[in-house]
Amino acid sequence: SEWPQVSLRLRELQPKAARRLLELAGISEDDAVPILSFARGHPLALRLATAAAQHHPRHYAGDLALPEVVNQLSGFFLDGVDPALRVALEAMSSVRRLTLPLLAALCGEQDALRLYMLLADSPMVEARKDGLVLHTVIHEAIAHRLKASDPTRFTAYRRAAWRELERSAGEVAVSDLWRYTADVIHLVDNPIVREAFFPSAEQQFVVERARPEDRDALLAIAACHDGASGRAMAEHWWRALPTAFHVVRDAGRRVVGYYCMFDPAQAPREALEGDPMTKAWAGLLEADMALEPRKALFLRRWLGLEAGEVPSPVQAACWLDVKRAYLELRPSLRRVYLAVSDLMPYASAAQELGFEVVCGDQSLPQSTAMLEFGLGSVDAWLRRLVRRELRMLDAVELDESSRDLLVDGQRVALTQLEFGVLRVLIRASGSVVGRDALLDEVWGRRRAAVGSNVVDVYALKFDPAKEPV
């Protein structure tokens, strides 16, 4: 009699099992590192990457063999697939997770529901409570192939996804803000920005608030890399505000790094004055707050046991935790200051993320970089990153307190009527606003006293091809 056929969905292997699989295949520890980082436990990806490593035993490196694996993987997943499903999978590779509204924006309203059900039934797709997702390695393989073969279409998918996310921003519940933010960040196809939020390396460390017994370990790290003065400053803040410290622990629970960050409004005044760096930052902040209140964070120092402030896995763990902190503080957070001894290793990342160098005083122990989020806090900053990445029109912000228009961070003074017109248009979030509706909203009771062409006059002032006046 024939054996019954059973279909089983294979889940990704745990790191220990994946390492054992490579060990049995004769892959050295050094060669295993890029394979594990690439395959993320996916059985087929592990097998193909192993074969590539065995084929290039002398020269194996991620740059040499893994693109070959990507091509094989994408062909395996897409070749012979129903054309409509193939298009949907390619569209899906442009977003972090797929919802029905996103699929409709990517592939059109007419077939969205049917395609969504086909995707949900596909063995390559996992259906979750918040949408459909591809395994990371499948996602990256399909996206890589599409970017190489049809970069215009890949960008068009991302732009369509961004328009849908921007449209639905006001509908996102507070409990779903993390998911929404992750969806937005994923559209930034920039390795520096992506790594800042979604590190590709396996996370080896835990970051948590420092405990009293961690004091000696973190002070020893400060002394090792910043000398006696650095230790004294770390001890200064430990006495004044111990809750500002977070430590990085390895698998053995040993402290291998730390960072010190706090809201200056919560710090004792004498502590701010007793540290030259925070005294300078507080002065800058207070000068600006005379014009407009700004909630800020002071990232006073971060150091790893072995690498100090130099980029490392420990430093990456610190930065990831820092980003979680300031995402939680939106929409009130407007600015972050940080201290760094050597700006050069961070120059490209700082430029991509929007940091500016301030406080060039040579008497200060470190240099200062500052990130200004803008009126819309962290969300406005993320919008700017996405729109710049997708080469879309610069987002504009309206400061309702001063009645100014902000274009790429520059203020433009508006008349009362100009402000009224722009406020209606911006609140419409890209939807068409009729002439009559605009007259009612802006001119109200004075509508009868103005001609109907007044709308054209004001609309012409904000023609995208011209500078705002």
Side-chain angles (χ1 to χ4, degrees):
S1 62
E2 294 185 0
W3 288 93
Q5 293 186 354
V6 179
S7 176
L8 296 176
R9 186 188 295 258
L10 291 178
R11 302 292 182 186
E12 59 266 25
L13 298 177
Q14 294 298 314
K16 186 175 180 180
R19 286 180 182 277
R20 179 59 176 161
L21 181 67
L22 297 182
E23 182 185 337
L24 292 173
I27 303 299
S28 70
E29 277 192 40
D30 289 342
D31 286 349
V33 173
I35 294 177
L36 292 167
S37 177
F38 163 77
R40 313 284 179 89
H42 191 277
L44 178 60
L46 284 165
R47 286 293 187 185
L48 289 175
T50 298
Q54 292 169 336
H55 186 65
H56 303 285
R58 291 185 180 179
H59 308 289
Y60 181 80
D63 291 341
L64 175 65
L66 293 186
E68 174 186 329
V69 178
V70 168
N71 289 332
Q72 291 184 51
L73 274 173
S74 57
F76 177 84
F77 294 128
L78 293 177
D79 292 347
V81 173
D82 175 81
L85 183 59
R86 176 181 177 134
V87 169
L89 284 167
E90 289 178 333
M92 190 177 181
S93 74
S94 69
V95 297
R96 185 184 74 93
R97 63 181 174 115
L98 191 68
T99 61
L100 188 55
L102 265 179
L103 183 59
L106 295 170
C107 297
E109 295 277 354
Q110 186 173 356
D111 294 328
L113 182 58
R114 182 180 69 85
L115 286 175
Y116 193 85
M117 299 306 294
L118 283 174
L119 287 168
D121 289 338
S122 170
M124 291 178 278
V125 177
E126 181 181 353
R128 298 179 180 173
K129 291 181 179 179
D130 59 346
L132 306 180
V133 296
L134 288 164
H135 184 279
T136 303
V137 74
I138 302 175
H139 190 287
E140 291 180 357
I142 296 176
H144 181 276
R145 179 166 175 166
L146 182 59
K147 280 189 285 187
S149 62
D150 195 347
T152 301
R153 186 154 61 96
F154 184 69
T155 299
Y157 283 140
R158 290 160 63 217
R159 286 177 174 170
W162 167 243
R163 292 189 188 99
E164 170 56 26
L165 288 173
E166 197 171 31
R167 182 203 63 77
S168 63
E171 305 167 3
V172 179
V174 174
S175 59
D176 288 330
L177 270 177
W178 277 101
R179 293 190 186 94
Y180 176 82
T181 302
D183 293 339
V184 169
I185 294 168
H186 192 277
L187 294 178
V188 182
D189 192 36
N190 180 309
I192 291 175
V193 178
R194 185 75 68 84
E195 279 292 315
F197 289 92
F198 302 117
S200 57
E202 182 182 339
Q203 295 303 297
Q204 312 166 38
F205 305 105
V206 174
V207 183
E208 61 186 19
R209 195 176 294 279
R211 302 170 185 170
E213 59 267 27
D214 297 325
R215 172 186 175 277
D216 291 345
L218 66 87
L219 292 181
I221 294 173
C224 177
H225 296 284
D226 286 346
S229 62
R231 186 190 189 283
M233 195 51 60
E235 190 166 19
H236 167 81
W237 281 109
W238 181 266
R239 289 195 307 268
L241 201 64
T243 55
F245 287 84
H246 287 70
V247 295
V248 184
R249 301 187 192 278
D250 63 12
R253 303 294 294 169
R254 183 178 59 134
V255 174
V256 293
Y258 78 91
Y259 74 86
C260 174
M261 184 175 72
F262 53 89
D263 177 351
Q266 306 300 319
R269 184 72 188 185
E270 60 273 16
L272 292 171
E273 294 287 338
D275 177 352
M277 294 298 297
T278 57
K279 181 180 180 180
W281 295 350
L284 289 172
L285 194 61
E286 287 172 3
D288 288 341
M289 284 182 67
L291 299 175
E292 182 182 1
R294 294 165 184 257
K295 186 176 182 67
L297 283 176
F298 287 0
L299 177 53
R300 181 58 186 87
R301 204 71 177 110
W302 76 91
L303 290 170
L305 177 62
E306 295 182 0
E309 70 172 23
V310 176
S312 67
V314 170
Q315 174 265 339
C318 287
W319 272 95
L320 188 61
D321 202 60
V322 165
K323 288 174 179 62
R324 289 195 187 103
Y326 60 64
L327 285 171
E328 289 174 352
L329 288 174
R330 62 186 178 191
S332 58
L333 182 62
R334 291 286 303 278
R335 185 177 285 185
V336 174
Y337 290 93
L338 62 87
V340 57
S341 296
D342 184 3
L343 288 165
M344 287 308 297
Y346 296 97
S348 59
Q351 185 176 11
E352 293 288 345
L353 294 172
F355 280 91
E356 299 176 27
V357 178
V358 295
C359 284
D361 189 340
Q362 297 295 320
S363 66
L364 294 175
Q366 286 101 24
S367 299
T368 297
M370 184 268 289
L371 176 59
E372 179 72 45
F373 292 119
L375 285 173
S377 189
V378 179
D379 293 309
W381 170 65
L382 291 174
R383 284 197 296 272
R384 290 196 297 273
L385 290 178
V386 173
R387 294 178 74 87
R388 183 184 66 194
E389 170 75 15
L390 298 179
R391 297 183 180 179
M392 300 174 78
L393 291 176
D394 289 335
V396 297
E397 299 177 66
L398 209 56
D399 185 342
E400 302 210 7
S401 60
S402 65
R403 300 196 170 214
D404 287 345
L405 176 69
L406 274 82
V407 182
D408 197 23
Q410 301 300 312
R411 288 186 177 271
V412 179
L414 301 174
T415 67
Q416 183 177 352
L417 288 175
E418 289 168 350
F419 172 78
V421 171
L422 273 177
R423 180 169 58 178
V424 172
L425 295 178
I426 290 175
R427 287 180 176 178
S429 301
S431 301
V432 175
V433 180
R435 183 190 304 271
D436 288 340
L438 200 55
L439 285 168
D440 287 339
E441 287 286 335
V442 179
W443 279 267
R445 294 179 181 178
R446 295 172 294 165
R447 174 176 176 174
V450 300
S452 62
N453 68 334
V454 72
V455 172
D456 302 272
V457 172
Y458 278 89
L460 185 61
K461 289 188 176 187
F462 303 109
D463 188 325
K466 300 182 178 182
E467 291 293 327
V469 295

